Structures are given as structure tokens and as C-alpha cells.
Amino acid sequence: MGRKSGSFFDMQFVTSSISTMLVLLLLGIVVFFVMAANNLSVYVRENIAFSVLVSDDMKEPDILNFQKQLNKEPYVKQTTYISKAQALKEQTEAMGTDPAEFIGHNPFTASIEIKLNADYANSDSIAWIKDEIQSNKQVIEINYPQDLLDAVNSNIRKISIVLLGLAALLTLISFALINNTIRLAVYSKRFIIHTMKLVGASWSFIRRPFLLRNVWIGVLAATMADAILVGLAYMLVKYEPDLLAVVTPEVIVTVMGSVFVFGVIITSACALISINKYLRMRVSELYYI
């Protein structure tokens, strides 16, 4: 039993696990950035606010009721009521002088600041949202940063396309690298495979130890890659706590799961392809590959 265990977890097993782990680590980093970029886009879009300016004839209780109505809408993530007095205070602090002292009255109007849910933070949705809000006759104006919103959505689309393309390319490269690693490992056992065939072993019996070995390689490599990724994410969040809005537990769990599943499936599939190749070969062919 000790000899069998030693031959199973040999140096070739260790080197295959490490090389597979490095590939999975690189793939996991790309998946992490894809998901973090998606969360970042949601965070940015949900923090672009626009202001609904209301008439001075609208009493504060009516404004608060209007705010409650807005909070019930599916496109609203958050609203903030800013009274005339609060608006004057904020502008006085920003400008360093009180405009009311020169004009003789408070020139600002009460407003409701709205932050939208990410799915509605686009030009088409805001157009009909604006029309719906302005159906209230007490709304005198709606201000929102159209140029900023268009720029954010445009940049998000470009970044998403680049990251998805990179993820697809890296997946193909990962498959090729892991396949080469496993193929070399199986290649060194090709005569053992042929000997087992000669003594009457079935193909399924021959495959089993190779598949089991490579499943364990995938599990070990994925576990090591996941441990490193979690450590890197922890260091990143510890350095900048605000990144918790982007590097969420859901992102970490999804990345870890993706790496683990990909690691096990890819090693098993590559092992199966390589073993079947040598099972089909005649003995004369084994010397010329």
C-alpha cells in the first residue's frame, strides 16, 4: 500500500499539479477581473445621481409624499430630499460665501436626488423616466449628467468586450497547456498501457487509474490556485476597504468555483483524450511517436 501510494503521488504528480495550478491561477485572475469589472460598472452607474427640482409652491409634506412615490418605482435605487435651506447651506460651504446675502433671498429650490438601479442607468431608460417624472406639474426641471452617463456606458462596453475576449483566449491557451502537460505524463506510460492490454485488461480498467490520478491533479491544482486567489483578494481589500463594493463574497465564491470546476473537468478530459489515443495504437506505432 505504501509503494502504491508513493507511486501515485510521485514527482511527476507534483510537477503536473504545479504547472496546472499556474495556468488555473492565470485563468482565475481573468475571471476575477471580468466579474469585478461587472460589479464596478453596476456600482458606478448606481452612483450617478440626477436632480428633480420642484416648484416653490410645493409644500414639504407634498414633496416627501412625492419622494415616497418615487421610492416605489422599480427604476429607483435611492432618493435623497434636499430642502431649500439645505441647498443654500451646501452652496454656501462650497462657494465660501452666502448668495442670499447679495440677492436678498434664497435662490435655490428644493430637490429630490435620485440614484437609479444599474439596469435603468442608460440613455433610453432615462428618457422615459424623465417624461414620467415630469408628468407631475410641480416638477420644474430635471438635471442629469448625460455626457458622463454615455461615457461610462461606452467605456464599460469596451472594457467588457476586451475582458471577455481575453477570457476566451486564455481558456483556449489553458486547455492547450494543461493538455500538453497531461499528454507528456501519459506518453511516459504508453508501454505500460500496451502491456496491460496484452494481459487482457479492459480499456475501462486501464483508464481508471489515469483518470483518477488526473482528477486529483485537477483538485490539488485548483485548491492551490483558489488559496492564492483568496489571499490576493484579501490583501487587495485590506489595502483598500472601499473595494468591498466591487470584490464581493459572491465574486470570490464564483471565481473559486469556476477555477475548481474548470481544473477538474479539463484535467479529466485531457487525460481521457490522451489515454484513448494510446489505447488505439498498435505496438509498432508506440516507437515512432
Side-chain angles (χ1 to χ4, degrees):
M1 186 70 179
R3 292 177 59 189
K4 184 178 179 181
S5 173
S7 63
F8 189 86
F9 297 101
D10 54 15
M11 185 55 65
Q12 190 179 67
F13 181 94
V14 174
T15 55
S16 296
S17 298
I18 292 174
S19 60
T20 303
M21 179 271 291
L22 293 173
V23 175
L24 292 177
L25 179 61
L26 192 57
L27 183 66
I29 289 173
V30 173
V31 174
F32 172 82
F33 278 116
V34 169
M35 297 201 64
N38 180 66
N39 279 357
L40 179 61
S41 71
V42 171
Y43 177 79
V44 171
R45 284 183 290 175
E46 289 186 343
N47 281 276
I48 297 178
F50 66 92
S51 298
V52 178
L53 306 182
V54 296
S55 170
D56 289 341
D57 297 332
M58 196 174 189
K59 304 300 182 182
E60 186 166 295
D62 296 329
I63 298 176
L64 294 176
N65 285 332
F66 182 44
Q67 182 185 12
K68 290 180 180 178
Q69 293 174 11
L70 290 174
N71 285 331
K72 295 178 182 178
E73 298 294 341
Y75 52 80
V76 173
K77 180 179 184 291
Q78 179 184 338
T79 62
T80 304
Y81 169 57
I82 301 175
S83 65
K84 288 171 61 71
Q86 185 179 348
L88 177 62
K89 180 181 178 182
E90 290 177 357
Q91 290 299 320
T92 300
E93 291 176 353
M95 298 167 58
T97 183
D98 187 351
E101 293 181 358
F102 300 96
I103 303 175
H105 64 88
N106 186 347
F108 301 105
T109 60
S111 64
I112 299 174
E113 189 178 81
I114 299 177
K115 292 181 179 178
L116 300 176
N117 287 313
D119 292 339
Y120 295 91
N122 56 72
S123 299
D124 293 337
S125 296
I126 287 180
W128 67 260
I129 289 171
K130 181 180 177 181
D131 292 338
E132 182 175 304
I133 294 175
Q134 284 185 323
S135 63
N136 187 321
K137 301 303 181 184
Q138 298 295 333
V139 174
I140 57 177
E141 188 178 353
I142 296 179
N143 296 325
Y144 64 96
Q146 181 67 53
D147 293 340
L148 175 61
L149 186 64
D150 290 342
V152 167
N153 286 325
S154 176
N155 290 332
I156 287 171
R157 281 193 295 269
K158 292 176 182 176
I159 293 171
S160 298
I161 291 172
V162 171
L163 287 176
L164 288 174
L166 183 60
L169 178 62
L170 190 57
T171 300
L172 294 175
I173 295 173
S174 300
F175 181 86
L177 291 174
I178 294 174
N179 184 52
N180 286 338
T181 300
I182 293 175
R183 188 170 61 182
L184 287 172
V186 176
Y187 172 82
S188 65
K189 303 288 193 303
R190 66 192 186 282
F191 291 110
I192 296 176
I193 293 173
H194 180 68
T195 302
M196 295 177 72
K197 285 170 59 180
L198 290 177
V199 298
S202 65
W203 283 22
S204 60
F205 180 83
I206 297 171
R207 288 192 196 102
R208 193 177 301 118
F210 288 97
L211 290 176
L212 182 61
R213 176 187 176 89
N214 283 282
V215 165
W216 276 109
I217 287 175
V219 169
L220 180 59
T223 302
M224 290 190 295
D226 281 341
I228 294 172
L229 288 169
V230 170
L232 291 174
Y234 175 77
M235 291 171 60
L236 193 63
V237 171
K238 189 175 181 181
Y239 177 76
E240 185 54 66
D242 290 341
L243 288 174
L244 277 171
V246 176
V247 185
T248 61
E250 290 79 8
V251 169
I252 301 301
V253 171
T254 302
V255 171
M256 290 177 64
S258 300
V259 169
F260 190 86
V261 171
F262 184 83
V264 173
I265 290 177
I266 200 70
T267 50
S268 303
C270 291
L272 184 62
I273 293 170
S274 298
I275 295 165
N276 285 340
K277 175 184 175 181
Y278 294 112
L279 284 171
R280 295 189 187 97
M281 283 185 175
R282 295 189 297 270
V283 63
S284 58
E285 297 174 320
L286 296 176
Y287 293 94
Y288 301 101
I289 57 173

